Amino acid sequence: VVPFVWIGAWNRLLWKLDGTTGGIVLETESPTRNYGFAFDGTGNLWVSGRDSPQSLGRIDTNRCVDTASCSAAACTGEGPGFDDCVKQRIPAPGETYGVTVDFMQRVWIAGYGGGDLIMRYDPSAGAGGRWRTVSPGFSMSGIAADGVGWVWAAGHSSGVVRIDANTLDYRIVAGTPGPYAKGMAIDQTGKIWAINQNGAN
C-alpha cells in the first residue's frame, strides 16, 4: 500500500503527494478555499473552507486519482446526483474553521467568528436535514472527535467544550478557561489535548 498525503493552498489548489517520496501525484482545484482537512472512513476528504460564502468541501479520493478524473467543477446544490459528484461545495450555516469526522462518519466544524456555531454535517441524512448546530456563545478553533461519542472543541478564552455527538448537548470542561484554546487533538489512549494561543500554559 502506498501512503498518500493531501495538502492545500490558500489559492484553492490541492496536491496529492506520494507519502514515501514526497513527489506530486496530482494537482487539482479544491471545492472551496482550503483551511482544514479531515478524512472519513470511506476515502472522502472534507475541507473546511474559509471562503465567502462559508462552505464545506468534499472530494472523493477514490475517484479523484489523476488530473483528468479530478478536473470536473464541484457540484453546488442538493439536487439529484449531488452526492455522486467527485467534488462537492456545500453551503455551511456559519463560519468554518476546524474540521473533524466522528466514528459515525459525520463531519464536524468549529465555527470561528459570526454565529459562534459548532456544526455537524451528516452526509447519510436526507437532503435538507444534514446540518445541525449548537451555539455555545463564543468562537471556536480546533475540533476533534474521540472514539466513544464525544466531540471536543477549543473555545476562545472560554475553555474546552465537550459535545455529545448525538444530542449536541455541551458543557465547558472545568479548569480549562484560559488564553484562547486553539488546537485540539486526541491521543491513542483517549486523552484530550489542547494548545493555547496568547498564553504559555
Side-chain angles (χ1 to χ4, degrees):
V1 176
V2 179
F4 296 108
V5 176
W6 288 78
I7 63 172
W10 191 247
N11 65 356
R12 296 175 180 267
L13 288 179
L14 290 168
W15 294 271
K16 179 182 178 180
L17 306 181
D18 184 303
T20 302
T21 68
I24 296 174
V25 177
L26 69 87
E27 176 184 304
T28 189
E29 186 174 351
S30 175
T32 185
R33 189 179 297 278
N34 305 308
Y35 198 80
F37 287 175
F39 267 103
D40 68 18
T42 62
N44 288 302
L45 175 64
W46 295 93
V47 183
S48 173
R50 295 290 289 166
D51 214 340
S52 181
Q54 299 293 310
S55 60
L56 172 66
R58 183 191 66 84
I59 300 167
D60 182 349
T61 66
N62 298 304
R63 294 190 292 155
C64 177
V65 295
D66 54 33
T67 302
S69 59
C70 297
S71 62
C75 297
T76 58
E78 282 199 352
F82 180 56
D83 293 328
D84 296 326
C85 295
V86 174
K87 298 177 185 178
Q88 288 175 303
R89 180 184 169 98
I90 305 157
E95 290 198 41
T96 56
Y97 201 86
V99 61
T100 192
V101 178
D102 69 20
F103 67 96
M104 297 290 289
Q105 307 306 303
R106 297 170 298 197
V107 184
W108 291 80
I109 300 176
Y112 180 86
D116 299 336
L117 298 175
I118 297 170
M119 297 162 271
R120 188 186 78 191
Y121 181 80
D122 185 353
S124 68
R130 295 181 173 183
W131 284 107
R132 287 195 60 198
T133 65
V134 63
S135 178
F138 43 83
S139 289
M140 301 287 156
S141 292
I143 192 165
D146 66 22
V148 295
W150 301 107
V151 175
W152 305 81
H156 270 213
S157 74
S158 300
V160 174
V161 179
R162 188 189 75 175
I163 308 106
D164 184 306
N166 291 316
T167 66
L168 274 73
D169 292 334
Y170 69 91
R171 72 176 180 87
I172 299 170
V173 178
T176 63
Y180 293 93
K182 195 74 171 174
M184 292 296 307
I186 299 168
D187 69 21
Q188 63 183 354
T189 66
K191 290 184 176 68
I192 313 304
W193 294 84
I195 189 167
N196 277 336
Q197 184 182 38
N198 301 339
N201 60 344

